[in-house]
Amino acid sequence: MWQALSDMAKENGLYLVAGSVPEDDGGKTYNTSYVFDPEGKCIAKHRKVHLFDIDVKGGQRFMESETLTAGDSLTTFDTPWGKMGLCICYDIRFPEWMRLMALEGAKAVFIPAAFNMTTGPAHWELSFRARALDNQIYLFGCAPARDIEASYHSWGHSIATNPWGEVMAQLDETEGILFAHADFEREDAIRDQLPLLRHRRVDLYELREIKK
């Protein structure tokens, strides 16, 4: 799989954020997304940090931690257009994680994801718009098309949002190709006109783990 993705990037001469695939390492399995450059070189990988564990009494039970190990690293990578960020699915629900990528200089964040049929209609678009607006960055979310014959039904709706919190483009649940243009000059202009990242009162607060 890894080699096929590398070859695909090289054959087409493009940067490829290659979804997410199982990665086995020392007996542990990670949900990992790889990034390849136009030469087919792997320039980044992200191991999903936040595992989706829910056990609703009388309802849905889904425990990723029974199969997967959580990653522990923030992931950014350099391109000719600037630094980019990468995370996977449930990672988007943690505003502090997205903020860290923005503070690292990410101009856009790529998010392979597969929200389910409950959280998808409720939170998919909202999450992308909110994280893009909060951090004044582009977000690109790629989701699998819905397969009603599969055991897991994805909400689908691959999406692109801009630093103003707007949806630039979005698919539905069926197979398709989504095109969206990132205007980083506009991103810079938005940050100049509404400098919320510079207005943070870091003298009054800091990012910290909240203990139970």
Side-chain angles (χ1 to χ4, degrees):
M1 174 67 75
W2 189 97
Q3 190 60 54
L5 295 170
S6 172
D7 292 343
M8 189 181 302
K10 185 174 182 178
E11 289 169 4
N12 291 279
L14 48 72
Y15 284 86
L16 174 64
V17 179
S20 70
V21 296
E23 177 201 7
D24 292 324
D25 184 8
K28 296 180 179 179
T29 302
Y30 300 90
N31 185 357
T32 302
S33 181
Y34 296 96
V35 182
F36 299 91
D37 71 9
E39 299 300 320
K41 178 183 177 183
C42 182
I43 59 173
K45 75 174 183 179
H46 177 70
R47 290 171 168 173
K48 186 178 182 183
V49 170
H50 302 91
L51 299 183
F52 187 54
D53 284 1
I54 60 170
D55 190 359
V56 180
K57 186 176 181 180
Q60 187 179 21
R61 184 180 188 277
F62 194 92
M63 304 294 287
E64 283 191 327
S65 64
E66 292 180 350
T67 304
L68 300 172
T69 298
D72 59 7
S73 298
L74 190 77
T75 305
T76 60
F77 57 96
D78 293 318
T79 74
W81 306 278
K83 191 179 293 293
M84 306 293 164
L86 177 63
C87 64
I88 296 175
C89 202
Y90 194 48
D91 288 335
I92 194 177
R93 288 190 177 270
F94 299 86
E96 64 274 22
W97 196 247
M98 302 298 293
R99 174 57 56 84
L100 287 173
M101 282 185 280
L103 295 178
E104 285 283 326
K107 301 180 74 65
V109 177
F110 295 87
I111 310 170
F115 275 34
N116 62 44
M117 295 298 294
T118 299
T119 60
H123 300 147
W124 174 259
E125 181 179 316
L126 176 62
S127 296
F128 277 85
R129 293 186 64 190
R131 299 294 92 78
L133 177 64
D134 288 346
N135 297 291
Q136 300 178 315
I137 54 176
Y138 286 92
L139 293 187
F140 300 101
C142 183
R146 191 177 310 156
D147 180 359
I148 60 173
E149 302 298 326
S151 59
Y152 181 87
H153 296 166
S154 168
W155 171 241
H157 290 79
S158 292
I159 190 172
T161 52
N162 66 24
W164 199 244
E166 299 167 325
V167 175
M168 299 190 294
Q170 185 171 188
L171 298 180
D172 58 18
E173 75 281 4
T174 61
E175 292 185 12
I177 299 175
L178 186 70
F179 293 95
H181 173 68
D183 183 349
F184 294 122
E185 290 185 359
R186 185 190 179 203
E187 180 177 271
D188 292 338
I190 289 173
R191 291 182 176 186
D192 285 340
Q193 295 162 13
L194 184 61
L196 64 88
L197 294 177
R198 295 202 305 268
H199 287 167
R200 294 178 306 118
R201 289 296 305 275
V202 293
D203 59 317
L204 299 179
Y205 61 84
E206 62 181 5
L207 293 176
R208 71 179 77 186
E209 180 184 3
I210 299 176
K211 301 295 184 181
K212 292 182 179 180

